[in-house]
PDB file of all heavy atoms in Angstrom:
ATOM      1  N   ARG I 754      11.158   3.591   6.172  1.00 80.00           N
ATOM      2  CA  ARG I 754       9.868   3.548   6.830  1.00 80.00           C
ATOM      3  C   ARG I 754       9.346   4.955   7.179  1.00 80.00           C
ATOM      4  O   ARG I 754      10.197   5.846   7.470  1.00 80.00           O
ATOM      5  CB  ARG I 754       9.920   2.627   8.093  1.00 80.00           C
ATOM      6  CG  ARG I 754      10.740   3.169   9.167  1.00 80.00           C
ATOM      7  CD  ARG I 754      10.929   2.206  10.284  1.00 80.00           C
ATOM      8  NE  ARG I 754      11.617   2.737  11.478  1.00 80.00           N
ATOM      9  CZ  ARG I 754      12.936   2.903  11.635  1.00 80.00           C
ATOM     10  NH1 ARG I 754      13.769   2.364  10.626  1.00 80.00           N
ATOM     11  NH2 ARG I 754      13.421   3.326  12.721  1.00 80.00           N
ATOM     12  N   GLY I 755       7.998   5.103   7.175  1.00 78.00           N
ATOM     13  CA  GLY I 755       7.447   6.361   7.701  1.00 78.00           C
ATOM     14  C   GLY I 755       7.616   7.526   6.717  1.00 78.00           C
ATOM     15  O   GLY I 755       7.481   8.702   7.151  1.00 78.00           O
ATOM     16  N   THR I 756       7.962   7.227   5.472  1.00 79.00           N
ATOM     17  CA  THR I 756       8.181   8.376   4.531  1.00 79.00           C
ATOM     18  C   THR I 756       7.016   8.644   3.664  1.00 79.00           C
ATOM     19  O   THR I 756       7.140   9.423   2.667  1.00 79.00           O
ATOM     20  CB  THR I 756       9.419   8.079   3.593  1.00 79.00           C
ATOM     21  OG1 THR I 756       9.353   6.750   3.133  1.00 79.00           O
ATOM     22  CG2 THR I 756      10.704   8.174   4.432  1.00 79.00           C
ATOM     23  N   GLY I 757       5.894   8.117   3.981  1.00 80.00           N
ATOM     24  CA  GLY I 757       4.573   8.505   3.213  1.00 80.00           C
ATOM     25  C   GLY I 757       4.219   7.622   2.053  1.00 80.00           C
ATOM     26  O   GLY I 757       3.427   7.993   1.265  1.00 80.00           O
ATOM     27  N   LYS I 758       4.830   6.424   1.977  1.00 88.00           N
ATOM     28  CA  LYS I 758       4.497   5.487   0.880  1.00 88.00           C
ATOM     29  C   LYS I 758       3.079   5.155   0.820  1.00 88.00           C
ATOM     30  O   LYS I 758       2.413   5.239  -0.192  1.00 88.00           O
ATOM     31  CB  LYS I 758       5.367   4.284   0.885  1.00 88.00           C
ATOM     32  CG  LYS I 758       6.931   4.634   0.843  1.00 88.00           C
ATOM     33  CD  LYS I 758       7.750   3.385   0.873  1.00 88.00           C
ATOM     34  CE  LYS I 758       7.651   2.600   2.056  1.00 88.00           C
ATOM     35  NZ  LYS I 758       8.263   3.285   3.230  1.00 88.00           N
ATOM     36  N   SER I 759       2.563   4.640   1.924  1.00 88.00           N
ATOM     37  CA  SER I 759       1.119   4.174   2.089  1.00 88.00           C
ATOM     38  C   SER I 759       0.176   5.374   1.861  1.00 88.00           C
ATOM     39  O   SER I 759      -0.813   5.279   1.270  1.00 88.00           O
ATOM     40  CB  SER I 759       0.889   3.435   3.314  1.00 88.00           C
ATOM     41  OG  SER I 759       1.746   2.305   3.432  1.00 88.00           O
ATOM     42  N   SER I 760       0.580   6.506   2.459  1.00 86.00           N
ATOM     43  CA  SER I 760      -0.297   7.671   2.466  1.00 86.00           C
ATOM     44  C   SER I 760      -0.458   8.125   1.005  1.00 86.00           C
ATOM     45  O   SER I 760      -1.559   8.648   0.672  1.00 86.00           O
ATOM     46  CB  SER I 760       0.279   8.719   3.394  1.00 86.00           C
ATOM     47  OG  SER I 760       0.224   8.386   4.737  1.00 86.00           O
ATOM     48  N   LEU I 761       0.646   8.018   0.282  1.00 89.00           N
ATOM     49  CA  LEU I 761       0.564   8.435  -1.132  1.00 89.00           C
ATOM     50  C   LEU I 761      -0.405   7.643  -1.909  1.00 89.00           C
ATOM     51  O   LEU I 761      -1.171   8.129  -2.724  1.00 89.00           O
ATOM     52  CB  LEU I 761       1.936   8.362  -1.737  1.00 89.00           C
ATOM     53  CG  LEU I 761       2.091   8.783  -3.173  1.00 89.00           C
ATOM     54  CD1 LEU I 761       1.604  10.214  -3.406  1.00 89.00           C
ATOM     55  CD2 LEU I 761       3.583   8.741  -3.591  1.00 89.00           C
ATOM     56  N   VAL I 762      -0.432   6.289  -1.701  1.00 92.00           N
ATOM     57  CA  VAL I 762      -1.397   5.454  -2.458  1.00 92.00           C
ATOM     58  C   VAL I 762      -2.867   5.783  -2.029  1.00 92.00           C
ATOM     59  O   VAL I 762      -3.683   5.959  -2.911  1.00 92.00           O
ATOM     60  CB  VAL I 762      -1.060   3.963  -2.118  1.00 92.00           C
ATOM     61  CG1 VAL I 762      -2.207   3.079  -2.848  1.00 92.00           C
ATOM     62  CG2 VAL I 762       0.270   3.569  -2.598  1.00 92.00           C
ATOM     63  N   LYS I 763      -3.007   5.946  -0.708  1.00 90.00           N
ATOM     64  CA  LYS I 763      -4.403   6.331  -0.294  1.00 90.00           C
ATOM     65  C   LYS I 763      -4.900   7.719  -0.760  1.00 90.00           C
ATOM     66  O   LYS I 763      -6.027   7.841  -1.118  1.00 90.00           O
ATOM     67  CB  LYS I 763      -4.470   6.304   1.251  1.00 90.00           C
ATOM     68  CG  LYS I 763      -4.304   4.885   1.785  1.00 90.00           C
ATOM     69  CD  LYS I 763      -4.135   4.877   3.371  1.00 90.00           C
ATOM     70  CE  LYS I 763      -3.822   3.538   3.870  1.00 90.00           C
ATOM     71  NZ  LYS I 763      -3.622   3.571   5.397  1.00 90.00           N
ATOM     72  N   ALA I 764      -3.898   8.587  -0.834  1.00 89.00           N
ATOM     73  CA  ALA I 764      -4.218   9.912  -1.400  1.00 89.00           C
ATOM     74  C   ALA I 764      -4.675   9.896  -2.894  1.00 89.00           C
ATOM     75  O   ALA I 764      -5.562  10.621  -3.288  1.00 89.00           O
ATOM     76  CB  ALA I 764      -3.004  10.888  -1.253  1.00 89.00           C
ATOM     77  N   MET I 765      -4.079   9.000  -3.643  1.00 92.00           N
ATOM     78  CA  MET I 765      -4.552   8.819  -5.046  1.00 92.00           C
ATOM     79  C   MET I 765      -5.955   8.398  -5.161  1.00 92.00           C
ATOM     80  O   MET I 765      -6.728   8.950  -5.998  1.00 92.00           O
ATOM     81  CB  MET I 765      -3.620   7.843  -5.747  1.00 92.00           C
ATOM     82  CG  MET I 765      -2.127   8.256  -5.920  1.00 92.00           C
ATOM     83  SD  MET I 765      -1.948   9.866  -6.888  1.00 92.00           S
ATOM     84  CE  MET I 765      -1.599  10.983  -5.501  1.00 92.00           C
TER      85      MET I 765
END
Side-chain angles (χ1 to χ4, degrees):
R754 67 188 187 275
T756 49
K758 301 185 295 294
S759 300
S760 296
L761 182 53
V762 177
K763 294 174 183 177
M765 293 301 103

